[in-house]
Amino acid sequence: MDVSAKGLRVLVTAGGAGIGRVIAKTFLEHGARVQVCDVDEKALASLPKEIFGLKADVANLSDVDKLFEEVKKNLGGLDVLVNNAGIAGPTGKVEDIDPKDWDRCIAVDVNGMFYCTRKGMPMIKAAGGGSIINLSSAAGRLAFPMRTPYSFAKFGVVGFTESLAAEAGPDKVRVNCIQPGVVEGDRIERVIAAKSQRLGISFDEVKAKMLEGVSMRTTVSPQDIANTALFLATEGGKHISGQAISVCGGTRYLV
């Protein structure tokens, strides 16, 4: 199967660290030219020199405008947009959530995806078609107690994806989303720690409860997510659109 990304011009939001960084490096390793943005300047500075980086917050319209000017300058166009940027949001019962924390979660996880897509879609259409890959979550198909802002956002990503796929399909733009399960890394460690504190049980107990809901009793890696994104954007995924693809080890419920 051909998973070459040679010649593809790719933008990965929040590509400085975590899943986004691995996605960006995977596309680069398979021949793509890659631009990323991130709010973390140190993370951007540590990227391979072949990857173009810009400090930008996807929830800020002027930052997004600057980002797409950089994409035009550095890549000369766009074939693949990976809307990876997202934050975990607050942990707590809905009546205890600060509206400012709710608003920030929605601003990054939902509004930021829209801001980037509205700028990226015309460029992908101008290229003759391409691929948009949105990051949802297992929390976008399953209930996630005490994480309502995040779950609300990630369910929204699925609706956005399916509607865009129907809208942009005639222009040869494929739109899919990936729904990761429990992904290894700093973010899930912070989520587990916050839930541990809220529930008054140990970190290890929370993690064990999380994995009880996974058929394979395993976390997934950022590379698993990157491999799926690469597949969707290249020859093997050329007829896949409008799908929410779970990469989760068979997650059946979240705690």
Side-chain angles (χ1 to χ4, degrees):
M1 183 176 64
D2 183 10
V3 290
S4 171
K6 187 175 182 181
L8 291 181
R9 298 161 296 180
V10 180
L11 169 61
V12 182
T13 64
I19 293 171
R21 184 186 185 95
V22 177
I23 291 173
K25 290 178 70 176
T26 298
F27 272 99
L28 179 69
E29 289 162 3
H30 285 79
R33 296 166 60 211
V34 182
Q35 170 84 52
V36 306
C37 70
D38 208 289
V39 294
D40 186 338
E41 285 184 291
K42 288 184 179 178
L44 289 169
S46 68
L47 285 166
K49 66 181 188 309
E50 297 88 352
I51 295 176
F52 297 99
L54 178 73
K55 184 179 180 183
D57 178 355
V58 298
N60 182 297
L61 277 168
S62 64
D63 279 9
V64 172
D65 288 343
K66 291 173 187 173
L67 171 62
F68 280 86
E69 287 303 316
E70 286 291 298
V71 171
K72 290 174 186 175
K73 182 179 76 173
N74 294 328
L75 304 183
L78 190 65
D79 303 293
V80 179
L81 169 61
V82 182
N83 279 313
N84 169 70
I87 60 173
T91 298
K93 292 183 178 180
V94 69
E95 62 266 32
D96 297 327
I97 291 173
D98 187 323
K100 290 180 181 177
D101 293 333
W102 175 284
D103 288 348
R104 179 60 181 165
C105 184
I106 302 307
V108 176
D109 294 7
V110 179
N111 296 351
M113 188 172 289
F114 161 64
Y115 296 161
C116 290
T117 302
R118 69 181 285 274
K119 299 292 287 189
M121 183 69 82
M123 296 175 70
I124 296 173
K125 288 180 179 179
S131 179
I132 296 175
I133 300 162
N134 299 322
L135 267 289
S136 177
S137 167
R141 66 179 178 86
L142 299 168
F144 203 2
M146 298 207 299
R147 296 290 307 287
T148 50
Y150 184 75
S151 188
F152 178 88
K154 294 304 184 179
F155 267 92
V157 170
V158 177
F160 186 61
T161 297
E162 292 183 4
S163 297
L164 277 179
E167 178 182 311
D171 294 300
K172 297 183 170 55
V173 181
R174 308 186 306 282
V175 189
N176 295 286
C177 65
I178 301 173
Q179 296 185 301
V182 183
V183 182
E184 302 157 6
D186 291 342
R187 179 189 287 186
I188 196 62
E189 301 288 315
R190 292 194 298 270
V191 168
I192 293 171
K195 190 153 280 192
S196 169
Q197 185 175 13
R198 287 279 182 175
L199 294 174
I201 61 177
S202 74
F203 181 98
D204 289 342
E205 285 177 289
V206 174
K207 187 171 183 179
K209 283 180 179 292
M210 279 188 170
L211 294 182
E212 281 174 11
V214 180
S215 299
M216 295 179 68
R217 302 293 193 272
T218 184
T219 57
V220 298
S221 72
Q223 190 63 58
D224 293 327
I225 311 308
N227 292 344
T228 305
L230 179 68
F231 171 76
L232 290 170
T234 54
E235 182 68 16
K238 67 181 180 181
H239 291 133
I240 300 174
S241 193
Q243 304 305 305
I245 298 173
S246 291
V247 183
C248 64
T251 300
R252 295 173 290 113
Y253 61 86
L254 299 168
V255 296

